[in-house]
Every structure is written in structure tokens, then in C-alpha cells.
């Protein structure tokens, strides 16, 4: 078995385990959180609350989160999805009808996960309590993307990596710019 075939098999097994092990009640909660995060509404809402209620730290965290989220969206949806034309997981793997409501775009990577992780990871160093608060819905979004049949686990992992990279770049950009221009 080649490495690629092995990774595909791991994706298949994990996808089917997640799809079959999450009950309908939990699935509805995950779907509600994902719906709130659709088009980054949840993260924009969190940024508004942080900016309005958090003083200087809240505004700084909100700006970092929104910047990282935007960068992650550009990379995941604007670049990677255009380059990787990966089909969504097969419908027959899922014992529920959520799989009928999937996007038609490439499965790789998960843009929802990229945005959620980028936003959360960018605010953690600035305001750890706000980052911890955003961590739970970010994890729920990632889990929902597999449970609903929208993504393979590797799509979610790639989205998370893009999100972490975007947050790291946003955090380090001022120091990098200073070094470049001095």
C-alpha cells in the first residue's frame, strides 16, 4: 500500500467513525454552531464584542483575529481550493441526510476550519481568556465539517494548519517588517 493509499484509508475510516458515532442531538448542536460560523459570522461577532467590551486588549485581539481569519480564508478558499479539486466524501458513508446540503466546491482544505483556527489562534496570545472561549466553537466547527460529510479529516487538518500559519504570520508580521525596513 502506498503512502497516499494509506492516508486515503485513514481518512475513510475516521470519516465513517465520526459520522456514525455522533448522535442526532449532538449533530444538531454541531450544525447550529457551524451555521453561526457560516461566512465567518460567529468570528466577526466575537470580534465586535471583544472590540466593544475589551478596551485596548479587546481591540488589538479583534484586529489580529480578523486579519488572521481573512488571510486564512484567502489562502484556503482563494488559493488552495482552486488548486486542489478534491471531491467531497461519498454520500453513502453517512447515515444522515446532512450530506445532501454540502457545498459544490473542492473539499480540500476546510475553509471553515481555517477561519476558526486562525481567528482563535491569533487572539490567544493577546487575550488568553477570549481565545479559550473561542476555542470550543472552533473545535466544534472542525468536528462538524467531518460529521456532516462536508470534509475528510485531512481537509480539516489542512485547514487548521493554514489557520495556525495565518495566525503566526499576523503575530510576527510587525517584527518581520521592522527587520526588513531597518
Amino acid at each position: 500500500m502506498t503512502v497516499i493509499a494509506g492516508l486515503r484509508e485513514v481518512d475513510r475510516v475516521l470519516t465513517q467513525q465520526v459520522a456514525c458515532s455522533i448522535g442526532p442531538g449532538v449533530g444538531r448542536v454541531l450544525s447550529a454552531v457551524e451555521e453561526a460560523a457560516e461566512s465567518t459570522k460567529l468570528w466577526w461577532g466575537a470580534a465586535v464584542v471583544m472590540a466593544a467590551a475589551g478596551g485596548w486588549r479587546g481591540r488589538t485581539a479583534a484586529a489580529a483575529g480578523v486579519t488572521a481569519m481573512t488571510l486564512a480564508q484567502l489562502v484556503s478558499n482563494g488559493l488552495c481550493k482552486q488548486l486542489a479539486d478534491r471531491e467531497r466524501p461519498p454520500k453513502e458513508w453517512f447515515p444522515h441526510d446532512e450530506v445532501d446540503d454540502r457545498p459544490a466546491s473542492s473539499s480540500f482544505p476546510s475553509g471553515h476550519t481555517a477561519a476558526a483556527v486562525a481567528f482563535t489562534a491569533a487572539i490567544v496570545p493577546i487575550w488568553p481568556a477570549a481565545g479559550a472561549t473561542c476555542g470550543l466553537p472552533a473545535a466544534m466547527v472542525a468536528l462538524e465539517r467531518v460529521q456532516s460529510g462536508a470534509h475528510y479529516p485531512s481537509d480539516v487538518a489542512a485547514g487548521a494548519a493554514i489557520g495556525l500559519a495565518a495566525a503566526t504570520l499576523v503575530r510576527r508580521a510587525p517584527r518581520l517588517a521592522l527587520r526588513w525596513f531597518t
Side-chain angles (χ1 to χ4, degrees), residues 22-34 98 140 144 147:
I22 294 177
V26 174
R28 282 190 294 278
V29 171
L30 292 174
S31 292
V33 172
E34 186 278 329
E98 280 184 73
M140 292 171 78
E144 188 280 339
Q147 182 271 335

Side-chain angles (χ1 to χ4, degrees), residues 2-173:
T2 67
V3 172
I4 298 295
L7 290 173
R8 285 187 180 141
E9 180 62 13
V10 169
D11 255 349
R12 182 192 65 77
V13 168
L14 289 175
T15 301
Q16 289 179 308
Q17 285 179 346
V18 169
C20 294
S21 65
I22 294 177
V26 174
R28 282 190 294 278
V29 171
L30 292 174
S31 292
V33 172
E34 186 278 329
E35 180 61 34
E38 185 71 32
S39 301
T40 65
K41 294 179 299 221
L42 179 61
W43 314 118
W44 278 102
V48 167
V49 170
M50 287 188 300
W56 179 86
R57 181 169 60 171
R59 289 187 299 277
T60 304
V66 167
T67 303
M69 176 181 68
T70 302
L71 178 59
Q73 288 281 282
L74 287 171
V75 171
S76 64
N77 295 336
L79 179 64
C80 293
K81 281 188 185 287
Q82 307 310 311
L83 296 174
D85 188 25
R86 185 179 195 186
E87 289 186 24
R88 303 283 172 168
K91 289 183 178 185
E92 57 271 7
W93 290 2
F94 300 90
H96 51 71
D97 61 358
E98 280 184 73
V99 74
D100 294 330
D101 189 30
R102 304 186 297 184
S105 61
S106 175
S107 179
F108 185 86
S110 170
H112 283 78
T113 304
V117 169
F119 184 84
T120 302
I123 66 174
V124 163
I126 301 161
W127 196 355
T133 301
C134 290
L136 179 60
M140 292 171 78
V141 165
L143 181 60
E144 188 280 339
R145 302 315 288 157
V146 175
Q147 182 271 335
S148 69
H151 290 285
Y152 294 95
S154 59
D155 300 336
V156 170
I162 290 167
L164 288 172
T168 300
L169 182 61
V170 166
R171 195 168 43 252
R172 293 188 178 163

